[in-house]
Amino acid sequence: MTRTHVRPARRRGAGVPVALLLPAVLGLVFLVLPLVGLLARTPWATLPQRLAAPGVLTALRLSLLTATLATLLCLLLGVPLAWLLARVEFPGRRLVRALVTVPLVLPPVVGGVALLLVFGRRGLLGGWLDATFGITLPFTTAGVVLAEAFVAMPFLVIAVEGALRGADGRYEEAAATLGAGRWTTFTHVTLPLVAPGLAAGAVLCWARALGEFGATITFAGNYPGRTQTMPLAVYLALETDVQAAVVLSLVLLTVSVVILAGLRDRWITSP
């Protein structure tokens, strides 16, 4: 009788090479240290008065509203686009995928200029929208939503496309075999299968929209109560009152962390 030697499973985290551990710790410190600096410079004694200052709640409310609307717009347009890229073979698909990811690497200011050239009053579509329907997008709240959706949609498309590629297609084939149409299969089988990826993409999309700055200030301007979101308010406060900028940054950081952490625990974490 021969003995089979079974090697004990290596404990997770045990024996981590120093060559990997050291840069990992430095990377974590690099990411966390600016946040620690922000907390250290926060004027905690006058925080309630500064939070109650005119403009703070208005900018926060506008940021949450526009980021949410931009995410809904991205869901409406981005999910079908992700499905097309993941499930349909067509000429030029690689080029389409590359174009979808362009806003990820495009400087946001350039994105704002591009939006102006298309949706501005003298733009390719903006002039027609203004003359035909009386719709003006630049320097309006709708312009903020458009700018945020432009820079945030790639996060949603990439996440949903990856989830669609990883989903088990046998369930969709079984639904089709039972007589379900393409739309019924998509809404009742495909979407539930990719729900975690869809939630992750929506969260990333919302977070990116919440922090958008360059395209927004270029395309929508910086008008308090109409287009001034929290990042723009921080930029304006830096020129006059650094402590006010720190408080606004702290509010933005707190809202982002709380909502991202809550959504992650509920929707993203795999069992």
Side-chain angles (χ1 to χ4, degrees):
M1 181 175 180
T2 58
R3 290 185 178 180
T4 302
H5 296 281
V6 179
R7 299 178 62 183
R10 180 176 295 179
R11 289 186 306 160
R12 181 176 296 182
V16 178
V18 177
L20 296 178
L21 182 61
L22 182 59
V25 172
L26 290 177
L28 179 62
V29 171
F30 175 72
L31 293 175
V32 173
L33 195 57
L35 306 181
V36 174
L38 181 65
L39 295 174
R41 294 294 300 272
T42 300
W44 297 103
T46 59
L47 185 62
Q49 293 81 3
R50 291 186 176 276
L51 289 177
V56 175
L57 292 179
T58 302
L60 178 60
R61 189 182 303 113
L62 184 64
S63 291
L64 296 177
L65 174 65
T66 55
T68 303
L69 291 177
T71 303
L72 292 176
L73 179 61
C74 291
L75 285 170
L76 181 66
L77 303 179
V79 172
L81 180 56
W83 180 85
L84 191 70
L85 291 173
R87 296 298 171 84
V88 180
E89 293 284 348
F90 59 92
R93 188 172 65 168
R94 290 185 177 180
L95 176 62
V96 173
R97 183 179 291 112
L99 292 175
V100 167
T101 56
V102 163
L104 289 177
V105 297
L106 192 70
V109 175
V110 178
V113 173
L115 289 172
L116 272 177
L117 294 177
V118 175
F119 296 106
R121 288 185 174 179
R122 297 181 180 179
L124 297 176
L125 294 177
W128 175 74
L129 289 174
D130 192 18
T132 306
F133 302 104
I135 298 176
T136 302
L137 293 175
F139 309 109
T140 63
T141 303
V144 177
V145 175
L146 205 62
E148 292 179 347
F150 177 76
V151 299
M153 189 182 293
F155 291 89
L156 176 73
V157 174
I158 291 174
V160 176
E161 185 190 356
L164 284 168
R165 289 184 178 278
D168 192 344
R170 290 177 297 178
Y171 294 101
E172 296 175 340
E173 295 174 0
T177 303
L178 295 174
R182 298 295 295 270
W183 177 251
T184 302
T185 303
F186 177 73
T187 55
H188 290 73
V189 178
T190 306
L191 284 183
L193 279 176
V194 301
L198 182 62
V203 170
L204 290 174
C205 179
W206 183 88
R208 180 64 186 89
L210 186 68
E212 213 300 306
F213 175 81
T216 302
I217 197 171
T218 307
F219 182 62
N222 188 10
Y223 300 101
R226 189 172 64 183
T227 65
Q228 188 181 84
T229 58
M230 287 294 284
L232 272 61
V234 172
Y235 174 75
L236 185 65
L238 272 176
E239 298 179 347
T240 57
D241 188 349
V242 176
Q243 288 193 338
V246 172
V247 171
L248 291 170
S249 301
L250 180 66
V251 172
L252 199 58
L253 174 65
T254 303
V255 172
S256 301
V257 170
V258 168
I259 294 182
L260 284 174
L263 289 177
R264 183 173 181 81
D265 287 341
R266 179 165 298 183
W267 298 106
I268 301 177
T269 304
S270 58

